[in-house]
Amino acid sequence: MRERQAHFFLLLFLRLESGLLQLAQLMISGYLKSSISTIEKRFGLSSQTSGLLAAFNEVGNTTLIVLVSYFGSRVHRPRMIGCGAVLVALAGLLMSLPHFISEPYRYDHTGPEDTSQDLAASLCLPTTPALAPDSSNGSCSTFTEVRHVTVVGVMFVAQTLLGVGGVPIQPFGISYIDDFAHDSNSPLYLGILFAVTMMGPGMAYGLGSLMLRLYVDIDRMPEGGVSLTPKDPRWVGAWWLGFLISAGMVALAASPYFFFPREMPKEKHELHFWRKAVAGATSSVSKVEDSPSEQSPGESSKKQDNPAQVAADLTVIQFIKVFPRVLLRTLRHPIFLLVVLSQVCMSSMVAGMATFLPKFLERQFSVTASFANMLIGGLTIPTAIVGIVVGSSLVKRLHLGPMRCATLCLLGSLLALVVSLPLFFLGCSAHQIAGITLQPGTQPGVEPFPGCMAPCSCSVDGFNPVCDPGAGVEYITPCHAGCTAQVVQADQDKNKVFYSNCSCVAGGGPVSAGSCDSACSHLVLPFILLVSLGAALASVTHTPAFMLILRGVKKEDKTLAVGIQFMLLRVLAWMPSPVIHGSAIDTTCVHWALSCGRRAVCHYYDLDLLRNRFVGLQFFFKTGSLVCFALVLTVLRQQNKEEETKATASSPGPQQQLLMSGQDKKPTDSSV
């Protein structure tokens, strides 16, 4: 009895350990998405480049997933999991390295390196020479460009290593436990695993919300501090700190895996004390699992003849030769192909939303990066998890077959599409920005008001926005507003900065530092509520779509079909979607920052165009998913009609039965 309990708690501990490890891994991969806009500002990246950076996580993962599946039963799986986790931790440390090899962040580039920020360099002073982006102050030296390329390259390498290290963690962890757990106890372990890992993305956004409240150079704060607040568009949070914390969590969770044996004795006893508590939530999982002890000799012989099942006994060359044939055979299943295409559309929507929704909320509603991450991690992701649970419960409680699963998927996709329609109208146009025309594609630059700032010599690439609240006009710098004086007022524990004697402002000012607030910031909660509701409705389709895949292919092809499904999702959705969304966002930019003659980060967007294109991409992918599920339902109905026709044709009628009985009684009278 004690040996049985010890074996159970050993497996339970390993399942919890596997869940914690996957949670920490998802925190690292999700944390980049929570801080994507901050990294753009810190290193002068466009949204297309940052989207490509986020997609590189899938490059290393996709290139090795097939080989890992092949070698799964031939290696020491716990040690491989530990090695993969160590690689993930190193990738997290490497992601934070650019902070330490870069110069301290200068949020005001209008003066030389030794000039105090936010002071005379931003003001309208006739004696100040004009500063161009490629001036002789040495800011565009070869060393600067090499350092920028090095920093970006380090992050791309780190993302690739993050994908490579994550390859063995989930498949090896699941197979290792399930190989040695009792078949009836497997749902408990699976339930623990998925319950823990589903919290990973939410915790990543929560961690991002906390870290981005801290100033980026908190480890090397200048004397006297900084006058920025998190609402200032130049604010950059401590994005690197979250990678260090997540990497430490991965390293701690990985250490026990190096002490587990290669194999453990098979669990021989079923646990009864938890059955009633988890049967309702996990029995749908146990139904799709195939127990090898219950297979008939005929099924065993079929599996031996099936290339997908004997792949583990083949050499690498033989496996490569067999795989394309099995892949084509699987893709010829219409149900499998259509369901995977629908999931590709849905995953494309999720990938784009997860990567750029925080940035969209920041720009559209003038909220801080910390608040945007808090909304997503505390509302959107939990409602998506609820949607997955509701979909699983409906499949279990209602005993849904393929036809009803397809109907549920169609209904969920339709409702998610309807809910996304109001998002096109929840927003407002950008406020007036002096000298900038809201027309994407025009050359960046500033067109000052005629005459008001003629005595000033303003920097072309400066960015220190000030706002005239009375007129609702924003100026790129105090110099472009014609301001010649600065006033700092102490307000509790923070200082408020104002600029006065502004020749371009009615009455001479003063104007406050920072961008003007959005006129529709109160709409951020209705917007995120509708996004969360749409995410929950779309998530309802997750489990029934998975069941359609399992029931749409041959029994012996299920394992390979699931592997092909995840591979296609990575290649067709998770890799290209962030780049597509980032490119669409870049097309709405109306004023780019310049760094050594190249486009860097975007300062201002056409908010109406940004909303229409961002929400329009979500609407497009949801429509594609809806069309695919409608085709799935059509194919299933056609298959049911064909089966009914065959059944009717094969069953004899009453007259045919009498004739056949007569022929049986008088075989000699059969000739005419």
Side-chain angles (χ1 to χ4, degrees):
M1 181 68 179
R2 291 182 178 178
E3 182 181 355
R4 182 192 312 176
Q5 291 179 348
H7 194 269
F8 162 70
F9 283 111
L10 179 63
L11 287 173
L12 182 62
F13 169 75
L14 188 55
R15 180 58 69 195
L16 283 170
E17 187 68 27
S18 178
L20 291 174
L21 179 57
Q22 293 185 42
L23 182 146
Q25 177 207 355
L26 290 174
M27 280 187 63
I28 289 187
S29 59
Y31 182 76
L32 173 66
K33 298 176 175 61
S34 70
S35 55
I36 200 77
S37 63
T38 301
I39 293 177
E40 287 181 9
K41 286 189 287 187
R42 178 63 182 91
F43 299 107
L45 304 179
S46 64
S47 295
Q48 184 183 40
T49 304
S50 62
L52 184 62
L53 178 64
F56 250 69
N57 183 17
E58 304 296 336
V59 173
N61 197 299
T62 305
T63 53
L64 293 180
I65 189 67
V66 176
L67 289 178
V68 166
S69 301
Y70 169 70
F71 286 109
S73 59
R74 304 186 179 193
V75 297
H76 195 298
R77 284 175 289 181
R79 290 182 184 174
M80 287 297 296
I81 294 173
C83 292
V86 170
L87 196 58
V88 169
L90 290 177
L93 296 177
L94 199 59
M95 277 297 298
S96 64
L97 181 61
H99 168 74
F100 299 99
I101 64 177
S102 300
E103 294 292 330
Y105 172 58
R106 288 188 60 85
Y107 49 85
D108 187 1
H109 296 278
T110 56
E113 293 292 331
D114 57 350
T115 304
S116 178
Q117 303 186 77
D118 277 336
L119 293 179
S122 296
L123 298 177
C124 174
L125 299 177
T127 57
T128 302
L131 297 176
D134 55 348
S135 61
S136 59
N137 59 5
S139 62
C140 292
S141 63
T142 304
F143 173 75
T144 303
E145 283 296 291
V146 170
R147 184 173 58 189
H148 174 79
V149 173
T150 302
V151 165
V152 176
V154 165
M155 290 191 289
F156 273 95
V157 172
Q159 281 295 101
T160 305
L161 291 179
L162 183 60
V164 172
V167 169
I169 292 179
Q170 184 167 2
F172 282 0
I174 293 176
S175 62
Y176 182 71
I177 295 297
D178 293 343
D179 283 351
F180 309 117
H182 191 279
D183 298 326
S184 300
N185 298 338
S186 184
L188 171 65
Y189 303 134
L190 287 175
I192 295 173
L193 171 67
F194 294 127
V196 175
T197 54
M198 281 193 301
M199 297 186 297
M203 292 184 63
Y205 284 101
L207 181 64
S209 177
L210 293 176
M211 296 300 102
L212 297 183
R213 294 178 184 178
L214 306 175
Y215 186 64
V216 60
D217 289 326
I218 190 174
D219 58 329
R220 45 188 177 183
M221 189 73 73
E223 295 184 7
V226 295
S227 59
L228 295 183
T229 63
K231 284 190 67 66
D232 194 294
R234 298 170 297 164
W235 173 270
V236 172
W239 60 273
W240 53 274
L241 197 54
F243 286 110
L244 294 181
I245 294 174
S246 300
M249 292 180 60
V250 172
L252 289 176
S255 54
Y257 279 93
F258 292 99
F259 301 98
F260 279 97
R262 178 166 183 163
E263 295 183 356
M264 290 194 300
K266 178 75 175 180
E267 193 178 25
K268 300 179 180 179
H269 302 281
E270 180 183 0
L271 300 170
H272 300 282
F273 66 89
W274 58 273
R275 236 182 180 184
K276 294 182 180 180
V278 301
T282 60
S283 59
S284 60
V285 177
S286 61
K287 286 184 178 181
V288 301
E289 294 180 350
D290 300 320
S291 174
S293 61
E294 298 177 357
Q295 294 165 358
S296 63
E299 292 174 346
S300 178
S301 62
K302 289 180 181 178
K303 290 186 176 183
Q304 292 178 357
D305 296 333
N306 180 20
Q309 299 296 329
V310 301
D313 300 326
L314 301 177
T315 64
V316 177
I317 302 300
Q318 291 173 332
F319 177 77
I320 294 175
K321 291 180 179 179
V322 168
F323 180 74
R325 180 155 49 95
V326 181
L327 175 63
L328 291 176
R329 186 180 68 187
T330 305
L331 292 178
R332 279 199 294 264
H333 290 280
I335 300 299
F336 174 82
L337 186 60
L338 288 172
V339 173
V340 169
L341 287 178
S342 69
Q343 290 186 323
V344 165
C345 293
M346 199 63 72
S347 297
S348 298
M349 181 269 296
V350 173
M353 186 76 75
T355 306
F356 290 108
L357 182 58
K359 177 176 181 176
F360 177 83
L361 296 179
E362 292 176 48
R363 296 291 184 169
Q364 187 70 51
F365 302 105
S366 296
V367 298
T368 64
S370 175
F371 186 67
N373 284 315
M374 184 181 67
L375 290 176
I376 298 172
L379 192 60
T380 305
I381 292 181
T383 53
I385 295 175
V386 170
I388 295 176
V389 174
V390 169
S392 303
S393 302
L394 291 175
V395 173
K396 163 68 174 66
R397 297 294 181 184
L398 302 180
H399 305 285
L400 301 182
M403 183 70 73
R404 292 186 176 181
C405 281
T407 304
L408 179 60
C409 291
L410 183 66
L411 183 61
S413 300
L414 178 61
L415 293 178
L417 187 67
V418 172
V419 168
S420 64
L421 283 174
L423 298 180
F424 284 101
F425 310 101
L426 288 179
C428 55
S429 302
H431 49 263
Q432 182 181 354
I433 303 166
I436 294 180
T437 304
L438 296 180
Q439 293 179 355
T442 58
Q443 293 295 325
V446 178
E447 300 176 1
F449 289 152
C452 69
M453 52 168 288
C456 308
S457 299
C458 302
S459 171
V460 178
D461 63 340
F463 185 64
N464 180 13
V466 294
C467 178
D468 178 11
V473 178
E474 182 172 327
Y475 301 86
I476 298 177
T477 66
C479 181
H480 290 90
C483 302
T484 59
Q486 182 190 54
V487 179
V488 179
Q489 294 181 356
D491 183 15
Q492 297 179 354
D493 57 342
K494 297 180 182 179
N495 293 330
K496 289 187 176 182
V497 180
F498 296 90
Y499 295 92
S500 59
N501 299 329
C502 304
S503 59
C504 297
V505 178
V511 295
S512 59
S515 292
C516 298
D517 292 332
S518 173
C520 53
S521 57
H522 60 285
L523 296 178
V524 63
L525 288 180
F527 187 93
I528 201 67
L529 285 175
L530 284 177
V531 169
S532 302
L533 179 59
L537 292 171
S539 299
V540 170
T541 67
H542 181 270
T543 299
F546 189 74
M547 298 303 296
L548 283 173
I549 289 178
L550 294 179
R551 297 172 184 176
V553 297
K554 294 181 179 180
K555 186 176 182 180
E556 61 268 18
D557 289 341
K558 286 183 180 179
T559 303
L560 187 60
V562 174
I564 293 173
Q565 170 201 7
F566 285 110
M567 184 183 69
L568 292 176
L569 290 181
R570 285 188 172 95
V571 173
L572 301 179
W574 291 98
M575 288 174 61
S577 180
V579 182
I580 294 173
H581 281 78
S583 301
I585 291 174
D586 283 344
T587 60
T588 66
C589 182
V590 295
H591 181 69
W592 290 92
L594 294 179
S595 176
C596 298
R598 62 172 179 84
R599 291 196 316 184
V601 67
C602 181
H603 285 158
Y604 295 106
Y605 292 91
D606 184 340
L607 296 184
D608 289 331
L609 194 59
L610 173 64
R611 182 176 65 256
N612 290 334
R613 293 190 177 176
F614 185 77
V615 177
L617 278 174
Q618 310 300 308
F619 191 84
F620 171 77
F621 288 123
K622 289 180 181 179
T623 303
S625 178
L626 178 66
V627 171
C628 289
F629 280 130
L631 292 176
V632 168
L633 193 60
T634 302
V635 172
L636 286 174
R637 287 179 177 176
Q638 184 65 28
Q639 290 179 351
N640 288 344
K641 288 181 181 180
E642 292 177 357
E643 291 178 358
E644 292 175 359
T645 303
K646 290 180 180 179
T648 304
S650 61
S651 60
Q655 296 180 355
Q656 292 177 338
Q657 291 179 356
L658 290 174
L659 182 59
M660 292 175 62
S661 62
Q663 289 176 351
D664 292 337
K665 291 179 181 179
K666 299 178 181 181
T668 57
D669 297 335
S670 60
S671 60
V672 178

